[in-house]
Amino acid sequence: MAENSTVVAAGRPADERLQKQSGLRKLLSRPELGAIAGTVLVFLFFGATAHGTGMFAADGIMNWITVTAQLTIIATGAALLMVGGEFDLSVGSMIGFAGMMIAIPTVYFGWPVWASVVFAFCGALLIGFLNGLIVVRTRLPSFIVTLASLYILRGMTIALSILFANRTIVSGVKNFAGDSIVVPLFSGKAFQGLFVWMANAGIIGKLPNGQPSVQGIPAVVIWAFVIALIGHIVLTRTRFGNWIFGAGGDANAARNVGVPVARVKITLFMVTAFCATVYATCQVMEFGSAAADRGVLKEFEAIIAAVIGGCLLTGGYGSVVGAFFGALIFGVVQMGILFTGAPNDWFQVFLGLMLLTAVLFNSYIRRRATGER
Amino acid sequence: MSEATNPSAATPLIEVRDLVKHFGPVVALNGVSMKVRPGEVLCLLGDNGAGKSTLIKTLSGVHKPTSGTFLVDGRPVSFSTPRDALDAGIATVYQDLAMVPLTSIARNFFMGREPMRGVGPFKFLDLAFAERVAREEMKKIGIDVRDPSQAVGTLSGGERQCVAIARAVYFGAKVLILDEPTSALGVAQTSMVLKYVHQVRARGLGVIFITHNVRHAYAVGNTFTVLNRGRTLGTYEKAAIGIEELQNLMAGDKELQLLSDDLGGMV
């Protein structure tokens, strides 16, 4: 039996049509490679053009890191969902709606702010669950289902805001929040002592009043870091992560070997809703208000970051690390254009070109990875 | 390992009697009987619409039979999900729905049954173990995978079928159901898969081999069950039937035989 078992190819000479794969070629098949290369290019570009504008001073750095962090939060959810083979176009509307779910109960029902935040998270998870349930039950494309949610949620956000506040912004959350733990949790600044020390030591600049130019690391950055790290570990190192690849790569094949595809997809829709709510909570706590237009177009920014980061639109391939670099490119370019004083109107042109390049690059990489011709 | 269990003596691994399956007004199976014993390759032959797909989906737990007897190891069973069938040792390898092409060989090999390492809530995939096992198991069947982290899409169709079969065997399948494993393959790859089926049989597994290619069936089969219009036309031992007869039986109607004669017997 043993000697019988190797008859097929053992000792077969190496197929001369198969080129030896170099380490470089193997590196090329990693999903985040394109985004890392793009990040290097973007830094080189702004390193040269934005030199001396303050973009790379402490406060400038914190500026684009914050933009990157905000996008990383929702891009992580979007990337996981895209690897799982689905889209969520309702992320932006979810941000607006979650803001209202926090602000309205706090301001108009007299709820303690922590209760409103818990309520918003529960509400968002429920909406994510419904999105997912409709997609897996009806087998409609998630593009259409979540496009509907995009309009429903945005419409409800505006309508509820008008109903309660008689305008499209619900403000005054800060007055009600008081010294609740929720405020520093979502809008505080961490490691303040460290930054005071760095200012005193002359590592970073000081403001005229003697305060350090950067007071601390904003909570949103910490949230982004934690969410991206967990997302990365879950995707690459857990059973659930393996199921995400299976569900997105070939749902039938995954189902045939016992992967609960429907459960995986519904969970991922809940994850994107969760990420949107973290984003919304940070904004509400920072500004003290919820506005009906918060998060407009954020769903596309999240998808763009995920795609630049190597996620395939067809699912089954991608990474959270890539999505982070996608968000970083986004943040650096958006802020870099501000710092260099280039006309801001060109940002979207750049973004579109970047997206197109990323998609072309990704499809090339995929053909490489799968040996498809 | 090679002491071939006498096929006729052992209890059948799977036996169905008078299996009937209706989909609303459509009668897909109308009394099918078959059995497969350890160390036996049962070939299920039949033209399109004969009920082969419905039968294997019933055996693998996708469909529930409307009526009839379904025994595994001599005991009556009723599966409600494919998972139940897998747990009972019945593994099905579908023609092109077996693998996730963009995912690595190792991850595919353990898809749905991931090896974990760690303590309490901190359990993580043991990728090193997965890659080692995938590589070893592939080596056993003569496919030298240099890098188990490469995507399954880089493998040929025959190799993919072999990975799927190796996976089922590794996870302790007693019965393998192969759904047209050779229909999309070239000559060399077909022989790779057929050889492997032969090895699996020699290890004492039961194999149900679905095909409409009589030559492929005849190459590996011990027993042949022919289906037509949802019924069993008959079951034949290899010694009792020739390849020509089998072909005629499967074709079932005169027209094809006439056509076959016109074309010089080449159909």
Side-chain angles (χ1 to χ4, degrees), chain A residues 1 4-5 8-9 18 26 233 236-239 242-243 246 249-250 253 256-258 312 315 366 369-370, chain B residues 83 94 97 99-100 102-103 107 111-112 114 116 124-125 127 140-142 146-147 151 153-154 167 192 199 203:
Chain A
M1 177 64 223
N4 199 16
S5 61
V8 186
L18 208 64
K26 201 173 158 186
I233 292 173
T236 57
R237 290 275 169 264
T238 68
R239 173 171 289 163
N242 209 33
W243 292 355
D250 189 331
N256 286 339
V257 289
L312 286 181
R366 179 178 69 160
T370 62
Chain B
R83 190 88 227 185
Y94 293 95
L97 301 174
M99 293 275 141
V100 183
L102 284 165
T103 304
R107 279 176 179 269
M111 182 72 70
E114 293 79 3
M116 305 302 281
F124 297 107
L125 281 188
L127 278 178
K140 275 189 203 163
I141 59 174
R146 252 177 292 125
D147 179 9
T154 57
R167 172 173 69 184
M192 173 198 282
Q199 287 175 26
R203 286 194 208 177

Side-chain angles (χ1 to χ4, degrees), chain A residues 275-295:
Chain A
C275 293
T277 310
V278 171
Y279 184 107
T281 314
C282 288
Q283 282 208 323
V284 171
M285 293 308 148
E286 171 135 16
F287 300 132
S289 66
D293 62 349
R294 291 264 163 81

Side-chain angles (χ1 to χ4, degrees), chain B residues 167-194:
Chain B
R167 172 173 69 184
V169 173
Y170 177 79
F171 286 109
K174 288 183 288 184
V175 184
L176 269 181
I177 302 177
L178 306 178
D179 181 18
E180 310 212 355
T182 55
S183 66
L185 301 182
V187 179
Q189 296 190 7
T190 297
S191 66
M192 173 198 282
V193 173
L194 293 181

